[in-house]
Amino acid sequence: MPNEFRQSFVQCPFYKYADGRRRITCEGLIDKSRIALLYLTRRDYDTQLLSFCCEHYKKCEIYNMLYAAKYDDD
């Protein structure tokens, strides 16, 4: 599946972009920053992108960290 096609299914609000091989980039904790996730294998990259970025983003550790830091009032 081409990378552009997969990215059209991303649902995570913190997702920024992916390189199509091993790197997924998300919004950072502070303005004008980013978090880059680098995977050793294409399989791990695909699992993260398809399972978490596209479908179950509320189960992603990065999503939960960013959500808590930006939106939780606790």
Side-chain angles (χ1 to χ4, degrees), residues 5-70:
F5 181 75
R6 281 185 275 182
Q7 289 184 45
S8 69
F9 290 102
V10 169
Q11 295 180 24
C12 181
F14 300 119
Y15 173 89
K16 289 298 180 186
Y17 53 87
D19 70 358
R21 293 174 299 237
R22 295 186 316 131
R23 182 185 192 129
I24 297 172
T25 304
C26 305
E27 190 174 305
L29 285 169
I30 59 174
D31 288 338
K32 298 181 183 179
S33 70
R34 300 286 184 260
I35 296 171
L37 305 168
L38 301 172
Y39 295 91
L40 296 178
T41 68
R42 176 66 185 256
R43 181 178 177 192
D44 291 341
Y45 165 88
D46 286 339
T47 298
Q48 178 70 27
L49 186 65
L50 296 173
S51 296
F52 294 104
C53 301
C54 293
E55 195 169 342
H56 305 288
Y57 66 89
K58 289 184 179 180
K59 294 180 181 180
C60 175
E61 293 87 354
I62 302 299
Y63 169 88
N64 286 304
M65 175 193 65
L66 291 170
Y67 189 88
K70 293 179 179 224

